[in-house]
Amino acid sequence: ATADAVTGMLKKVVSDPLGTGTKAQIPGYPVAGKTGTARKAPYNTGEYNASFAGFAPADNARLSAIVVVDSPQGSIFGADAAAPVFQQIMRFALTYERVPTS
């Protein structure tokens, strides 16, 4: 029950228009994931890591991936720097592995 509840929350991160992971959406596949933004030590440098960790298809996971962007240029947020990279990699991997769409 707990795993189903957490998966539901992670799916909303990607599918809800107000979610932070909407740039990780893959047509035909439900995706679940979490964005992340973290300051790098030492914390006074103004440098960040941006991340997105997720899996697909969300209801019957076949593949998972974590994308971490070290010191992203432009936006420091995982939603902008890492989620689109995850989307490209996962879309390719799902196709390559011939995972059927939902």
Side-chain angles (χ1 to χ4, degrees), residues 3-21:
D4 288 341
V6 172
T7 297
M9 292 178 219
L10 295 175
K11 285 171 63 176
K12 284 188 177 184
V13 169
V14 178
S15 65
D16 189 307
L18 300 177
T20 58

Side-chain angles (χ1 to χ4, degrees), residues 36-38 48-52 67-72 75-82:
T37 306
Y48 291 82
N49 284 328
S51 62
F52 186 88
V67 173
V68 179
V69 181
D70 185 6
S71 299
S75 175
I76 61 167
F77 300 108
D80 299 320

